[in-house]
Amino acid sequence: QVQLVESGGGLVQPGGSLRLSCAASGRFFSINAMKWYRQAPGKQRELVAAIRRDGNTNYADSVKGRFTISRDNAKNTVYLQMNSLKPEDTAGYYCNADVRTVSYSNVDFNYWGQGTQVTVSS
């Protein structure tokens, strides 16, 4: 099994910053893509940022230039640095990972974390 545990959410004023972390644990061969999603009440869940194992990244247009996704493969951890936060960024943020459990298979299994709340308000 694989567990993903997010941390770092909280309440912040507009223009402020937060850094989210997601640590993976359990038995697996490797973690490939890692992603951050978010979902606000009444809205669809959306992909915020993704990072491949080699460091290639992509971002939602709404967060480009403000958010940075990174990872530490040795720690099996992905981060989301969020700067210049806006009220529109308020949402539950969820970590997602594509995991290969054994070396002799190229099949990825997808896992979700429990989520962490980010609230941007004055």
Side-chain angles (χ1 to χ4, degrees):
Q1 295 185 2
V2 179
Q3 296 82 43
L4 303 176
V5 180
E6 301 104 326
S7 62
L11 175 64
V12 65
Q13 292 183 321
S17 298
L18 285 173
R19 192 187 197 197
L20 306 183
S21 299
C22 172
S25 62
R27 296 181 61 195
F28 51 85
F29 175 68
S30 65
I31 301 175
N32 295 317
M34 301 188 80
K35 311 145 198 173
W36 287 98
Y37 288 80
R38 68 185 181 187
Q39 187 169 27
K43 296 183 179 179
Q44 293 182 311
R45 182 168 294 188
E46 64 175 339
L47 178 65
V48 177
I51 184 168
R52 301 195 318 196
R53 188 170 181 85
D54 64 5
N56 182 269
T57 61
N58 69 281
Y59 298 90
D61 288 341
S62 59
V63 307
K64 286 181 179 177
R66 299 188 297 120
F67 291 11
T68 302
I69 189 170
S70 61
R71 64 191 288 172
D72 185 334
N73 291 335
K75 296 181 179 179
N76 294 317
T77 299
V78 63
Y79 306 94
L80 186 67
Q81 178 67 47
M82 304 184 293
N83 298 325
S84 302
L85 282 162
K86 304 175 181 179
E88 305 93 272
D89 297 317
T90 296
Y93 283 72
Y94 298 86
C95 180
N96 178 272
D98 296 327
V99 181
R100 298 195 180 186
T101 59
V102 293
S103 64
Y104 48 84
S105 174
N106 64 359
V107 176
D108 286 352
F109 293 85
N110 190 255
Y111 292 87
W112 290 90
Q114 81 289 348
T116 185
Q117 179 67 33
V118 172
T119 302
V120 184
S121 176
S122 299

